[in-house]
Amino acid sequence: MGNNKHATVQFSPSSNFSSTITYRNKYVGLNTGDSWDASLRYQFKQVNLGFNYNQETTTTQQLLTEQGYFIRDASGNLSQVINTQDLIAQGFLMLDPSDPAGTRLIPGPNFNNSRLVSNPFDLVNDVIIRKRGTLSFSYQTGKSSYTASMYNERRSYELRAGEDMSYGISGGWQWQVEPRLNFYLRPSWQHNQGQLADNTRYDLALGLNRSIPINLGRPLLMDTRFEIRHISQSSDTSTFDYTENRASANFNVRF
């Protein structure tokens, strides 16, 4: 028996600044005790600053439902994998030969291929308490726009001792060469500290976006993209190490 309580305060002293802070006291549930959520936003003439912090209780099953496995296409876009048989066919996963029932899946020969994106933390059969803070920045000037963000996330568990942590930083620069031609640079760095492995990942993308007018019965724009990308991951477990260099071209028309 017991009650869960929460209180939310919104504070916006000016049109440029807004904030929301929520306090929760849980007597009933998986993650009892006190927790805080916060969201702060400030907008200058050309600059936007933001900060978010949240705490939540979740499970491995919920993480798989929310995130699961994704495949990155040649344009860098992610699509969620609905049928795990597709991952088996591509060598990302395989059936565990030591499982008599033939239902347990284990990493396949292509599991660490950078096209496969999965949860960066250890997936365990336990209740997970997540605490994540994110600081973001954007700046617009002339023909250029800049973005940057950094985050820190910590996870503790109801049954398992210890804590996992992930932190990283990403940025972006886009330059409008002409009205329908843009150049972009997008670097990112991420480090994951888990009880199973520690991984560090670097990702650098250089590309051009170009909109080309075409006529297929009516005026349309064909979006084209050419990108060069370097991805590298190092780990204290050598099976998780990989490096990839690739060039990709993409063409898209929306009717």
Side-chain angles (χ1 to χ4, degrees):
M1 297 294 292
N3 296 310
N4 292 339
K5 304 174 183 177
H6 75 274
T8 298
V9 176
Q10 294 182 330
F11 181 60
S12 300
S14 70
S15 59
N16 294 337
F17 178 73
S18 63
S19 63
T20 301
I21 300 176
T22 300
Y23 165 77
R24 293 183 175 87
N25 178 268
K26 296 181 180 179
Y27 187 82
V28 179
L30 298 174
N31 181 21
T32 58
D34 301 330
S35 66
W36 294 87
D37 293 341
S39 176
L40 307 176
R41 290 285 183 273
Y42 195 91
Q43 181 174 351
F44 297 91
K45 185 176 181 180
Q46 295 174 291
V47 176
N48 287 304
L49 296 175
F51 173 77
N52 282 284
Y53 175 79
N54 66 284
Q55 298 177 215
E56 66 172 344
T57 301
T58 186
T59 63
T60 295
Q61 290 78 11
Q62 182 65 27
L63 289 175
L64 289 172
T65 299
E66 294 176 353
Q67 184 170 354
Y69 289 102
F70 290 78
I71 293 294
R72 180 185 290 111
D73 64 19
S75 301
N77 300 315
L78 296 177
S79 59
Q80 189 168 12
V81 178
I82 304 301
N83 187 356
T84 54
Q85 292 299 319
D86 296 337
L87 297 179
I88 296 176
Q90 297 179 61
F92 293 126
L93 300 176
M94 61 182 293
L95 295 174
D96 187 352
S98 64
D99 179 21
T103 59
R104 185 165 60 233
L105 297 175
I106 61 175
N110 296 327
F111 181 80
N112 296 313
N113 187 302
S114 61
R115 290 184 58 235
L116 180 66
V117 180
S118 60
N119 197 298
F121 291 94
D122 303 338
L123 295 179
V124 296
N125 188 23
D126 200 347
V127 174
I128 304 169
I129 303 169
R130 304 172 68 192
K131 300 178 181 179
R132 183 182 180 95
T134 304
L135 180 65
S136 60
F137 162 88
S138 65
Y139 175 62
Q140 179 73 43
T141 176
K143 294 185 176 181
S144 293
S145 61
Y146 304 86
T147 60
S149 66
M150 61 179 64
Y151 80 93
N152 181 280
E153 181 171 329
R154 296 176 181 269
R155 296 188 179 185
S156 56
Y157 305 89
E158 183 181 50
L159 300 178
R160 192 179 74 169
E163 185 179 67
D164 293 341
M165 180 175 66
S166 177
Y167 52 89
I169 184 170
S170 62
W173 170 50
Q174 180 167 297
W175 175 42
Q176 187 180 40
V177 182
E178 57 182 58
R180 292 177 177 166
L181 177 63
N182 296 295
F183 168 81
Y184 64 85
L185 168 67
R186 297 172 184 165
S188 66
W189 176 87
Q190 175 180 280
H191 182 72
N192 303 312
Q193 294 179 352
Q195 297 188 48
L196 299 182
D198 291 354
N199 304 317
T200 300
R201 176 187 171 98
Y202 303 89
D203 192 331
L204 177 63
L206 294 168
L208 287 171
N209 289 323
R210 172 80 184 200
S211 295
I212 302 175
I214 60 175
N215 195 319
L216 298 177
R218 60 189 178 93
L220 296 170
L221 283 177
M222 179 173 66
D223 295 324
T224 64
R225 174 186 295 177
F226 176 75
E227 182 179 87
I228 298 174
R229 193 166 191 167
H230 171 75
I231 305 170
S232 177
Q233 177 168 293
S234 59
S235 173
D236 58 359
T237 303
S238 59
T239 54
F240 295 132
D241 292 343
Y242 68 85
T243 300
E244 178 180 337
N245 297 294
R246 71 165 180 252
S248 60
N250 182 62
F251 305 89
N252 178 56
V253 177
R254 179 174 294 181
F255 294 91

